[in-house]
């Protein structure tokens, strides 16, 4: 059986990593909202999918279509386009913007082929092929186009995840450096300071960690695929600034040795750097901050699952109380 002190330190460190990961995700969400990263990512995906010449007229017309234009505020582009809206708008554009699609599939193909500009583009050729594959089944033809769009959004989601991982790592590095969250120093302190360790374990056990986690739908939607928001770490709401303040306060409440040297009159808070700091001390500190940086970039769901496993392990290791008989 593992030493209970080691389990307590592991529990406390993982709980800290959960909070740091959530903080980095909240900051990332603020940045994503400010620069409208999801909308730009979706536009890049549509530009790649609907290749139609240098000006990419098909993409321009798609965003102007009422079924798409109405999904966002005036002057902005949507961050999510439902598959049905995409298919109907695209079919309408490629048949001349009549507002009425042909009832049967063969008439739809003939109408698109008559629009020489779109029919001869890469996107047009792909769509015509998808429609031909459905034969005379108009419903199947539309499902083919929707599946084509959904597959493309899977790839777009992958792009978004890659960008987000890089950004979150940078955010985590800044947060851990500014707040001086040194995993090595914290673990050393928890090993020697029993009272602090017990307080951290109590905080980890009493805090509703699940309540701090962003809620994810049971079934992943196309929006999550197209924005890469399928890890539960991002939510596009105006609550992100409040989340950041709440999480920083939660980390401060842990009373861990976090922060640089601060003097308040005669009182000194946690001092991690002194005049006696040498090159090796700085190297250890750098490694400690880097460890926390990597931990914060892994995402809160990863650490939340690990936290639950450690809690279960600690519970299994407790000795049952003796009976009074």
């Amino acid at each position: 059986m593992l030493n209970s002190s080691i389990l307590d330190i592991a529990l406390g460190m993982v709980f800290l990593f959960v909070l740091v990961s959530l903080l980095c995700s909240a900051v990332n969400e603020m940045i994503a909202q400010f620069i409208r990263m999801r909308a730009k990512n979706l536009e890049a995906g549509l530009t790649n999918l609907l290749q139609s010449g240098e000006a990419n007229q098909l993409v321009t017309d798609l965003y102007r279509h009422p079924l798409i234009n109405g999904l966002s505020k005036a002057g902005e582009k949507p961050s999510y386009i439902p598959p049905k809206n995409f298919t109907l708008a695209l079919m309408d554009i490629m048949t001349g913007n009549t507002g009425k699609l042909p009832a049967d599939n063969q008439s739809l193909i003939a109408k698109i082929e008559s629009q020489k500009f779109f029919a001869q583009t890469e996107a047009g050729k792909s769509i015509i092929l998808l429609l031909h594959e459905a034969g005379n089944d108009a419903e199947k033809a539309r499902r083919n186009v929707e599946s084509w769009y959904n597959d493309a959004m899977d790839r777009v989601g992958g792009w978004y995840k890659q960008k987000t991982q890089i950004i979150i790592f940078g955010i985590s590095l800044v947060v851990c450096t500014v707040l001086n969250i040194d995993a090595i120093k914290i673990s050393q302190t928890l090993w020697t300071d029993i009272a602090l360790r017990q307080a951290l374990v109590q905080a980890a056990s009493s805090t509703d960690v699940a309540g701090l986690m962003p809620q994810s739908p049971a079934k992943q939607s196309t929006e999550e695929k197209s924005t890469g928001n399928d890890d539960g770490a991002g939510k596009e709401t105006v609550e992100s600034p409040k989340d950041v303040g709440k999480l920083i306060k939660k980390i401060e409440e842990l009373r861990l040795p976090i922060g640089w040297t601060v003097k308040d009159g005669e009182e000194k808070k946690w001092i991690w750097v002194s005049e006696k700091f040498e090159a090796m001390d700085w190297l250890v500190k750098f490694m400690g901050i880097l460890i926390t940086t990597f931990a914060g970039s892994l995402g809160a769901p990863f650490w939340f699952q690990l936290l639950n496993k450690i809690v279960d392990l600690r519970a299994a290791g407790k000795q049952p109380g003796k009976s009074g008989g």
Side-chain angles (χ1 to χ4, degrees):
M1 182 62 66
L2 287 175
N3 187 297
S4 60
S5 298
I6 296 177
L7 280 178
D8 288 347
I9 293 173
L11 178 64
M13 293 302 296
V14 170
F15 178 58
L16 174 63
F17 291 157
V18 169
L19 296 180
V20 172
S21 298
L22 285 171
L23 176 59
C24 294
S25 295
V27 174
N28 174 70
E29 186 57 36
M30 290 174 60
I31 295 173
Q33 290 184 50
F34 182 74
I35 66 175
R36 295 196 55 77
M37 191 163 69
R38 289 188 175 89
K40 291 178 180 177
N41 191 67
L42 177 60
E43 183 178 8
L46 291 175
T47 300
N48 182 69
L49 180 66
L50 303 177
Q51 297 181 30
S52 52
E54 293 183 4
N56 236 349
Q57 188 62 39
L58 194 53
V59 176
T60 302
D61 291 346
L62 183 72
Y63 275 113
R64 290 175 179 171
H65 196 279
L67 284 176
I68 307 301
N69 188 41
L71 295 173
S72 58
K73 297 178 181 178
E76 296 181 356
K77 293 180 179 178
S79 59
Y80 165 56
I81 298 177
K84 184 176 181 179
N85 289 48
F86 170 83
T87 302
L88 291 176
L90 191 62
M91 295 298 97
D92 189 36
I93 292 168
M94 298 188 74
T95 55
N97 282 302
T98 61
K100 184 178 180 180
L101 297 179
D104 63 280
N105 195 39
Q106 295 304 318
S107 298
L108 177 62
I109 294 172
K111 187 71 174 178
I112 292 176
E113 290 179 337
S114 68
Q115 304 290 324
K116 297 297 183 181
F117 174 76
F118 289 131
Q120 295 175 0
T121 63
E122 293 298 319
K125 293 175 182 178
S126 298
I127 292 169
I128 290 173
L129 180 62
L130 291 168
L131 296 178
H132 272 297
E133 194 276 334
N136 294 322
D137 190 339
E139 185 62 29
K140 182 181 178 182
R142 294 184 185 181
R143 288 200 303 268
N144 283 352
V145 176
E146 288 185 8
S147 297
W148 178 59
Y149 170 72
N150 286 332
D151 290 342
M153 291 303 101
D154 284 337
R155 294 191 297 273
V156 173
W159 302 346
Y160 189 87
K161 283 183 180 179
Q162 292 176 358
K163 295 176 186 176
T164 301
Q165 281 297 315
I166 295 172
I167 293 173
I168 287 184
F169 181 84
I171 292 171
S172 183
L173 180 60
V174 171
V175 167
C176 294
T177 302
V178 171
L179 298 181
N180 196 5
I181 309 178
D182 181 345
I184 294 177
K185 180 64 177 181
I186 294 174
S187 60
Q188 290 175 340
T189 303
L190 292 178
W191 180 257
T192 57
D193 193 331
I194 298 176
L196 181 61
R197 184 170 71 227
Q198 292 176 341
L200 183 57
V201 169
Q202 178 63 30
S205 303
S206 61
T207 302
D208 180 15
V209 180
L212 297 173
M213 297 287 292
Q215 298 300 310
S216 299
K219 187 175 181 180
Q220 184 187 35
S221 66
T222 304
E223 177 178 10
E224 291 174 324
K225 293 178 182 179
S226 65
T227 61
N229 183 25
D230 63 348
D231 60 355
K235 48 182 179 179
E236 192 167 6
T237 70
V238 295
E239 295 298 321
S240 291
K242 294 182 180 179
D243 292 342
V244 170
K246 180 175 66 175
L247 289 165
I248 291 177
K249 183 178 179 181
K250 179 67 68 176
I251 292 174
E252 289 177 344
E253 289 174 351
L254 300 179
R255 304 300 179 187
L256 293 170
I258 291 175
W260 301 97
T261 303
V262 177
K263 289 187 178 181
D264 185 9
E266 295 299 322
E267 180 185 356
K268 288 185 178 181
K269 297 183 180 179
W270 294 105
I271 301 176
W272 290 19
V273 181
S274 69
E275 296 79 3
K276 297 181 180 179
F277 242 58
E278 299 178 355
M280 184 56 66
D281 297 317
W282 280 110
L283 179 60
V284 173
K285 172 162 287 299
F286 172 76
M287 293 301 298
I289 291 177
L290 195 60
I291 290 171
T292 319
T293 298
F294 276 112
S297 67
L298 288 177
F302 171 82
W303 293 113
F304 180 61
Q305 292 177 5
L306 186 57
L307 182 70
N308 287 332
K309 291 180 180 179
I310 295 176
V311 170
D312 292 341
L313 186 60
R314 286 182 75 252
K318 291 180 179 179
Q319 298 294 326
K322 295 182 180 180
S323 61

